[in-house]
């Protein structure tokens, strides 16, 4: 048993609204032959606000790959610890009880990774295992959950901390002028998210089984060109259409557990863009309303890469969580094109359950005593 | 149970001898105030030959980070498949039977990683899980083995393919002139290694338990500065001395299984440099001869980063393997400074054992029949 406890999420203080984005695009790309198309695409994202680690004026001046990585490290060290502390608190687990840290990020590169710094500075045991993942992009959120699940399956007493640290604004490339890049400039946001997967106890989705699926021959559809100026995002216009071939995979995966992918109680979906959600809703025959928490992440934070799934799940918790026994699906999508998916059953707090039972029983006892 | 089957290893065709290295250093760094020290350090590595993916004349002309990553991708696609095929053959496992691919490399960056390309081109199932690791450096060989072990512990029927693809020559930085960098230029080599960890069956080290240890506050001792020119290797002179604090960790880890780290039957040690082996031999009180396979890797291939442990293990197999029941330790060291360690018991081929037993029994049966 492995339970994904309530995630903690933080977004930076520098806000960009849709209006800011459109105005910037008009100004920066004035005269671009496809500007109107880009503006329409950006408007269609539905992203109302995004938050970035540095003021937009600073982001627009690309300071070089080296400076960007220095900023990544500074901002990660500044912003990750508080989120980690809150994730530990949410799970009722101390740093010293964590056995594995899965740290995922595709927007800055450090070696050693942040796992070493976290262990040295935040009270984790020096024997804590480290699993940094940089190359799974937006799918890494799902992957982190799934690898944590695998780990707790191997070691049922273990606790795994997962951290998604994505500063997408640090991958802004002013020289990339394709429509896909212009769209990306209006879509991605920055965030840090963390959660604990507890082998024993915990409240939240109990991870039942997980799977991964690589859509054949789509390697070039999402990815990075790695250049002297850093990571250059590549986005093929065919990406949103991948929900069509993925849907039967999700259906089959659910059916293996005798679940119906079209009729689950909760969905935590990587909201890479609005069409991902629209198409998945259509092909899975799930009312789009059921993806509301994922869409709220997209609208309020933009595509925050591997942090999306943790933020969407956090919203479900904030809405009061699910009833124990509720069945759900968590799905991350990213380069490959890879889907990292798991099925989960919501588990409640046994203590609370005991209290509730006690509450039910107590009046009867009182009645018996009065009798 | 998880058995690490015989690794396959390939080194490129361009050879550099110690004499070549010394001559190059004298020529390229003529007039460098610490040239003599650098030459002495290089001589002390004991690295007789190294192999690199492109001719040295090409490597010395840094073509830029982008071109380097293109070369990494080309060379990886050219060299990895054959090694993977041989590793699968060694393990008697088909590509379609692999459940997880752990691909480790710190010398080139691709997103999607090579795992996607391997799945698309080599007959792996599209449901194969992908675990690319880029940020654990030389420790990633041990980490790949340990994560494969964890995975087979969770799913005892699973097979995991691990691949270490290290083209260290593509991280040569002509502008880095510190003594540590000059030494690194004479130490690292290129190689591809792969092996299968089988959940059931297989011949080789049966992985019993694994651990990880981060030496406190040594984050800056090994790592990368990430610049427009790519990954710049940082090496602190104190690194070899880390075997002193690590030895008690290894001893304690062995003692937890009632094993004696000083008296095991085989050792597969990351041969980062000669002093790593010398110091570990001293502090563990193990005759240096017992690290012979690791030293042979260093002498013949140089420090091939995460591929060292797989190459050293391959040498044990080539020497006839170990007797079933032999106890051993596999240890990777890298940035953090992190040690990824496991304990293993050699398992033989049951079929062979049956044959041997049949051979012992048959004469008796023959005698009984004659009586």
């Amino acid at each position: 048993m492995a339970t994904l406890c309530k995630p903690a999420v933080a977004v930076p203080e520098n806000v960009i609204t849709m209006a800011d984005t459109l105005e910037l695009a008009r100004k920066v790309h004035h005269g671009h032959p496809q500007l109107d198309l880009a503006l329409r695409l950006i408007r269609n994202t539905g992203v109302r606000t995004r938050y970035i680690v540095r003021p937009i004026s600073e982001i627009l001046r690309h300071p070089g790959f080296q400076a960007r990585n220095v900023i990544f490290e500074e901002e990660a060290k500044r912003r990750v610890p508080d989120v980690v502390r809150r994730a530990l608190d949410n799970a009722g687990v101390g740093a010293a009880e964590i056995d594995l840290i899965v740290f995922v990020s595709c927007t800055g590169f450090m070696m050693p990774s942040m796992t070493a710094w976290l262990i040295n500075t935040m009270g984790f045991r020096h024997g804590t295992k480290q699993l940094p993942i940089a190359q799974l992009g937006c799918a890494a959120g799902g992957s982190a959950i799934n690898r944590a699940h695998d780990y707790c399956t191997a070691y049922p007493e273990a606790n795994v901390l997962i951290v998604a640290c994505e500063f997408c604004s640090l991958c802004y490339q002013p020289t990339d002028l394709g429509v896909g890049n212009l769209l990306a400039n209006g879509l991605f946001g920055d965030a840090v998210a963390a959660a604990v997967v507890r082998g024993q106890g915990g409240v939240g989705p109990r991870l039942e089984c997980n799977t991964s699926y690589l859509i054949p021959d789509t390697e070039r559809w999402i990815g990075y060109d790695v250049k002297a100026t850093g990571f250059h995002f590549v986005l093929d216009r065919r990406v949103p259409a991948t929900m069509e071939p993925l849907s039967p995979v999700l259906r089959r995966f659910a059916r293996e557990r005798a679940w119906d992918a079209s009729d689950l109680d909760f969905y935590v979906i990587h909201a890479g863009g609005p069409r991902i959600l629209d198409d998945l809703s259509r092909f899975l025959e799930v009312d789009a309303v059921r993806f509301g928490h994922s869409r709220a992440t997209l609208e309020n934070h933009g595509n925050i890469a591997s942090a999306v799934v943790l933020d969407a799940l956090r919203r479900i918790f904030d809405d009061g969580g699910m009833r124990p026994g509720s069945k759900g699906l968590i799905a991350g999508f990213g380069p490959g094109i890879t889907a990292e998916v798991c099925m989960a059953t919501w588990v409640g707090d046994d203590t609370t359950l005991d209290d509730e039972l006690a509450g039910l029983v107590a009046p009867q006892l009182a009645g018996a005593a009065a009798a």
Side-chain angles (χ1 to χ4, degrees), chain A:
Chain A
M1 296 239 300
T3 301
L4 175 54
C5 300
K6 183 182 176 183
V9 181
V11 291
E13 56 284 0
N14 304 290
V15 60
I16 309 180
T17 64
M18 166 75 84
D20 297 335
T21 300
L22 293 171
E23 190 189 324
L24 264 171
R26 274 191 212 97
K27 209 167 83 180
V28 174
H29 302 295
H30 178 74
H32 188 295
Q34 290 170 295
L35 178 61
D36 284 344
L37 172 60
L39 295 175
R40 200 163 63 242
L41 290 171
I42 291 171
R43 235 179 259 116
N44 286 346
T45 62
V47 176
R48 289 201 303 258
T49 46
R50 297 178 291 155
Y51 300 85
I52 57 178
V53 289
R54 296 281 169 109
I56 186 70
S57 56
E58 190 182 333
I59 292 296
L60 291 175
R61 293 189 308 271
H62 189 318
F65 190 38
Q66 182 173 8
R68 283 253 175 102
N69 271 292
V70 170
I71 296 170
F72 178 89
E73 183 173 339
E74 282 173 10
E75 295 292 346
K77 290 181 176 177
R78 192 153 80 91
R79 297 173 190 277
V80 168
D82 176 61
V83 178
V84 164
R85 263 188 294 269
R86 288 194 285 124
L88 293 170
D89 286 350
N90 287 349
V93 167
E97 296 170 90
I98 295 293
D99 300 287
L100 167 68
I101 301 175
V102 184
F103 190 97
V104 302
S105 177
C106 63
T107 51
F109 192 86
M110 292 170 61
M111 189 172 88
S113 91
M114 278 289 290
T115 52
W117 184 82
L118 288 172
I119 291 172
N120 278 325
T121 57
M122 288 197 66
F124 296 99
R125 302 193 314 273
H126 281 82
T128 308
K129 295 177 185 177
Q130 305 169 56
L131 183 54
I133 302 177
Q135 295 161 283
L136 292 177
C138 296
S143 179
I145 293 168
N146 289 348
R147 298 298 77 76
H149 173 211
D150 294 343
Y151 193 79
C152 290
T153 304
Y155 308 102
E157 308 280 330
N159 296 305
V160 181
L161 171 69
I162 63 184
V163 184
C165 175
E166 301 289 15
F167 303 146
C168 302
S169 64
L170 299 180
C171 292
Y172 169 68
Q173 297 292 355
T175 55
D176 288 353
L177 298 173
V179 171
N181 296 107
L182 268 48
L183 167 61
N185 296 344
L187 180 64
F188 286 97
D190 299 351
V192 176
V196 173
V197 175
R198 283 179 57 159
Q200 303 288 321
V203 173
R206 188 183 65 207
L207 308 170
E208 305 282 359
C209 55
N210 70 68
T211 193
S212 180
Y213 185 74
L214 176 75
I215 303 177
D217 304 317
T218 53
E219 274 165 71
R220 298 281 170 200
W221 293 18
I222 309 176
Y224 279 154
D225 281 337
V226 181
K227 303 185 181 181
T229 35
F231 301 137
H232 288 245
F233 185 62
V234 176
L235 178 67
D236 189 286
R237 64 161 69 185
R238 289 168 290 186
V239 167
T242 49
M243 292 302 109
E244 184 167 4
L246 261 180
S247 296
V249 175
L250 299 179
R251 282 181 189 280
R252 201 165 52 236
F253 178 52
R255 217 162 32 229
E256 283 168 13
R257 294 195 73 78
W259 289 13
D260 177 358
S262 302
D263 187 26
L264 297 174
D265 303 305
F266 65 96
Y267 294 86
V268 177
I269 306 293
H270 173 65
R275 244 202 79 196
I276 296 282
L277 296 178
D278 294 344
D279 276 22
L280 193 62
S281 145
R282 182 153 60 101
F283 291 112
L284 273 191
E285 298 169 275
V286 173
D287 191 325
V289 174
R290 313 280 283 280
F291 296 165
H293 297 99
S294 301
R295 195 172 297 267
T297 292
L298 181 65
E299 288 175 355
N300 292 290
H301 293 167
N303 178 340
I304 48 176
S306 63
V308 169
V309 286
L310 294 176
D311 187 67
L313 177 61
R314 189 263 308 168
R315 290 170 191 275
I316 294 180
F317 273 99
D318 284 349
D319 265 3
M322 302 297 299
R323 294 167 70 93
S326 301
K327 295 176 170 57
L329 177 146
I330 303 173
F333 311 127
I337 289 171
T338 303
E340 283 278 347
V341 188
C342 68
M343 297 284 171
T345 305
W346 201 279
V347 289
D349 186 339
D350 288 345
T351 318
T352 312
L353 196 65
D354 286 349
D355 290 350
E356 281 174 15
L357 286 173
L360 287 172
V361 171
Q364 294 168 354
L365 288 177

